[in-house]
Amino acid sequence: MRMLVFDDDDAIGRLVVRVATASRMEAMAVSDADAFNQCLQTDPPQVVVLDLQLGGTDGVEQMRLLANQQYTGALVLISGYDARVLATAQSVGTSLGLKVECVLEKPLRVAELGEVFERLLFADQTLSTERLLTAIVDDELVLEFQPIVSREPKTLKKLEALVRWEHPVLGLIPPGRFLPAAESDTATIDALTDWVTGAAVDAYQVLAELGVTVPLAVNVSMLNLHDLTFPDRIGQRLRAGGMPAKHLCLEITEGGVFNDVARTMDILSRIRLKGMQLSIDDFGTGYSSLRMLRQMPFSEIKIDQSFVSDVTTSRDSRAIVKSIVGLAANMEMTCIAEGVETEETAKLLEELGVCNLQGYLIARPMPVEAVPAWLATWTGSTLDGQAMRPSGDPAAIRGHGEVRHPPSVSVTAETSGDVVQLSPRQLEVMQLLSEGCPVKVIAHRLNLGIGTVKVHLSLAYSALGAHNRIEAIRRAGPALAGNSNKA
Ligand code: C2E
Ligand code: MG
Ligand code: MG
């Protein structure tokens, strides 16, 4: 990892370089603005350590320079000023879009510096583009699903797929921490989006088998829109998984500038022509949301959380939400509010004409297997009751978010004696597993995606209360040898 230190005091520059070198970083120090600027151009560092008080210039001016040069690495600020000045400087850096890792007060403590550098190194190694590519290939990513609903009558409109990284050491990592690495390289963001689309199609199948047929939304980076074959790749995946194109919505966040408007329009138009839906995500936060809306064939607008969260308290946010609702209606687009956390917010949004809601008030993102139970609770039905319908309009969830009951198989768990329900597909997958088939072979034999097999297995494990395959096989016991009863 390369580090550049800018301090007009040579002794401090040397100290920082010494600590960084001890942490196996490649570091160099400069003491004037010209040298700093030159090093940034010729050998861009991944970490900049910047003193705030510099002879002839100052840290804030240099942060502006870093932001103008679109520096994306980490920034460590150091200064002899008091903590308040440091905190303000940190806010300036953050508002310029810089990644301010921390601010350190002088005199610098070697141990503290060492800890900061070790942390940066660890984050760099674990969340690097190369490591992320391995994670994609090794299936370390998982999807969670968050409902988008309307409440009058109670209807599940869609589930948004949100990616997470199940890191073997660091645990569950949210997308905000690894998307920058993914987006720094087109091959990686393409691989990520292909994985997410494939996993969403698998989840659609699993949900259908669990009796829930509902459209899904996946997030797509603007950076994916460089490749003219993108619509065909998704189309192929949908066909292979038997998912109707109209049940897939691609959410695109406007970020950065279109390098090639004609190419972007080509790709987005073909996505629509193939029957998929297109949503503009985080609407209102980009620099050219309106231009994008006019030029590109979107079918839906998602009002950004920042306007939603204070719609009850801010007149400005309320005015913005009202305008977006009008815009969506005039352009014949669906409108969704994201980040709805309170009943008061939901009610006001509904009064303003936003009927499609997404947010913690309705449900947090959840694993696919949790969706049927959530839907049953939310609509006020029971899992083992009659057809699950909302209490109001009996036809309300027909088509979208409809819940059917697949025939299930009762399995008496050998160890506990409990009777648990496994779907026929879960039983099939468990039977092959007990015969020693690896997941890839099971997928091949049953003509399913690997992700689908994994989901069936995890559903079966959780029904059996097992933590791993050995426990699950033991618990399912005789049923796997064919002693199951149709429920
Ligand atoms: P997004 O697409 O706008 O997704 C909504 C984010 O807001 C999600 O965060 C969700 O968990 C969170 N959220 C939902 N309801 C609430 C609420 O009521 N309050 C608050 N405070 N937050 C809420 P998450 O999962 O961390 O995702 C963050 C962003 O990462 C997403 O924003 C999306 O832009 C991106 N992302 C997620 N999955 C993918 C993916 O598969 N591919 C790409 N390219 N980007 C993704
Ligand atoms: Mg989204
Ligand atoms: Mg959003």
Side-chain angles (χ1 to χ4, degrees):
M1 202 175 191
R2 260 190 325 279
M3 174 188 291
L4 179 61
V5 187
F6 183 7
D7 197 310
D8 57 342
D9 182 339
D10 286 332
I12 295 194
R14 279 198 301 276
L15 170 74
V16 177
V17 168
R18 187 156 50 80
V19 179
T21 312
S23 295
R24 302 168 310 284
M25 283 179 170
E26 226 181 276
M28 71 173 288
V30 293
S31 55
D32 68 81
D34 287 344
F36 181 58
N37 206 354
Q38 198 173 354
C39 288
L40 284 179
Q41 314 272 355
T42 51
D43 206 5
Q46 285 131 317
V47 184
V48 165
V49 177
L50 181 65
D51 188 15
L52 287 179
Q53 195 180 15
L54 298 157
T57 175
D58 59 71
V60 172
E61 192 176 15
Q62 294 306 315
M63 280 198 281
R64 224 181 305 120
L65 179 103
L66 285 169
N68 286 343
Q69 298 196 357
Q70 301 190 330
Y71 170 70
T72 54
L75 179 62
V76 175
L77 297 174
I78 50 176
S79 174
Y81 281 111
D82 66 41
R84 273 189 46 204
V85 177
L86 282 172
T88 311
Q90 180 169 26
S91 311
V92 172
T94 310
S95 64
L96 285 168
L98 296 169
K99 271 188 246 154
V100 184
E101 172 65 25
C102 62
V103 286
L104 299 175
E105 274 182 70
K106 284 183 182 174
L108 296 176
R109 288 195 303 275
V110 170
E112 197 181 5
L113 263 183
E115 271 170 31
V116 171
F117 296 166
E118 288 298 333
R119 204 166 63 224
L120 285 168
L121 270 172
F122 187 67
D124 181 58
Q125 280 155 9
T126 46
L127 302 179
S128 67
T129 307
E130 296 75 32
R131 180 63 186 85
L132 180 56
L133 265 178
T134 322
I136 296 169
V137 174
D138 291 350
D139 254 341
E140 285 176 14
L141 304 184
V142 287
L143 289 183
E144 286 193 328
F145 294 84
Q146 189 178 30
I148 296 167
V149 304
S150 66
R151 306 195 303 172
E152 286 296 332
K154 278 193 164 178
T155 310
L156 172 62
K157 290 295 187 79
K158 203 156 47 179
L159 293 167
E160 178 175 3
L162 295 157
V163 73
R164 279 93 181 79
W165 181 353
E166 249 176 1
H167 194 286
V169 179
L170 300 176
L172 206 63
I173 306 178
R177 285 194 51 210
F178 59 86
L179 281 173
E183 292 191 329
S184 66
D185 169 58
T186 37
T188 311
I189 191 66
D190 283 351
L192 178 89
T193 303
D194 285 352
W195 186 92
V196 168
T197 321
V201 173
D202 286 345
Y204 181 85
Q205 279 180 346
V206 169
L207 281 167
E209 281 182 29
L210 291 172
V212 180
T213 301
V214 65
L216 301 180
V218 296
N219 291 280
V220 167
S221 166
M222 281 282 285
L223 297 168
N224 292 124
L225 307 181
H226 69 100
D227 179 1
L228 291 175
T229 67
F230 181 60
D232 306 299
R233 286 208 315 270
I234 303 192
Q236 238 163 15
R237 192 64 188 80
L238 288 171
R239 272 194 305 282
M243 176 170 176
K246 65 174 186 204
H247 276 188
L248 183 69
C249 177
L250 304 187
E251 294 190 5
I252 295 167
T253 304
E254 180 230 334
V257 201
F258 307 109
N259 288 326
D260 188 341
V261 176
R263 182 173 280 253
T264 311
M265 281 205 283
D266 180 319
I267 294 169
L268 294 183
S269 309
R270 290 190 57 235
I271 286 171
R272 287 304 308 277
L273 289 171
K274 284 181 186 297
M276 292 166 241
Q277 304 297 312
L278 263 187
S279 177
I280 180 164
D281 205 347
D282 302 344
F283 185 74
T285 54
Y287 291 109
S288 53
S289 301
L290 288 176
R291 186 164 68 94
M292 191 158 160
L293 205 57
R294 185 164 57 93
Q295 286 181 324
M296 309 292 167
F298 287 104
S299 45
E300 176 186 284
I301 297 181
K302 289 187 85 170
I303 309 174
D304 188 63
Q305 308 196 0
S306 56
F307 306 119
V308 172
S309 61
D310 61 359
V311 70
T312 55
T313 51
S314 154
R315 258 179 45 187
D316 291 347
S317 290
R318 209 154 46 240
I320 290 171
V321 169
K322 267 190 200 164
S323 312
I324 299 177
V325 173
L327 193 66
N330 289 329
M331 295 182 80
E332 295 179 1
M333 287 192 233
T334 315
C335 185
I336 295 176
E338 54 183 11
V340 182
E341 291 186 353
T342 65
E343 182 56 38
E344 198 191 353
T345 306
K347 282 217 172 94
L348 178 57
L349 286 165
E350 284 164 344
E351 275 167 30
L352 295 176
V354 191
C355 300
N356 299 311
L357 309 176
Q358 175 181 14
Y360 296 165
L361 174 71
I362 315 297
R364 288 187 177 251
M366 62 187 98
V368 67
E369 61 265 35
V371 170
W374 167 81
L375 183 56
T377 312
W378 184 69
T379 54
S381 313
T382 51
L383 266 174
D384 57 359
Q386 313 269 302
M388 278 189 251
R389 299 251 183 252
S391 44
D393 175 6
I397 51 174
R398 200 172 294 145
H400 289 344
E402 186 171 353
V403 179
R404 287 175 285 103
H405 290 280
S408 58
V409 178
S410 298
V411 172
T412 307
E414 197 185 33
T415 40
S416 62
D418 293 343
V419 177
V420 293
Q421 301 285 317
L422 293 187
S423 73
R425 187 62 104 190
Q426 288 163 21
L427 191 69
E428 253 179 319
V429 171
M430 283 296 299
Q431 269 162 345
L432 288 170
L433 189 79
S434 70
E435 289 163 19
C437 291
V439 170
K440 270 190 189 157
V441 176
I442 301 177
H444 182 69
R445 287 239 212 133
L446 300 179
N447 199 18
L448 296 172
I450 292 177
T452 310
V453 172
K454 282 189 178 175
V455 174
H456 282 305
L457 285 176
S458 76
L459 287 171
Y461 291 4
S462 85
L464 292 160
H467 294 100
N468 54 46
R469 73 163 62 194
I470 297 169
E471 223 173 73
I473 292 169
R474 191 160 40 88
R475 291 199 176 178
L480 300 179
N483 296 342
S484 55
N485 317 301
K486 287 265 172 208

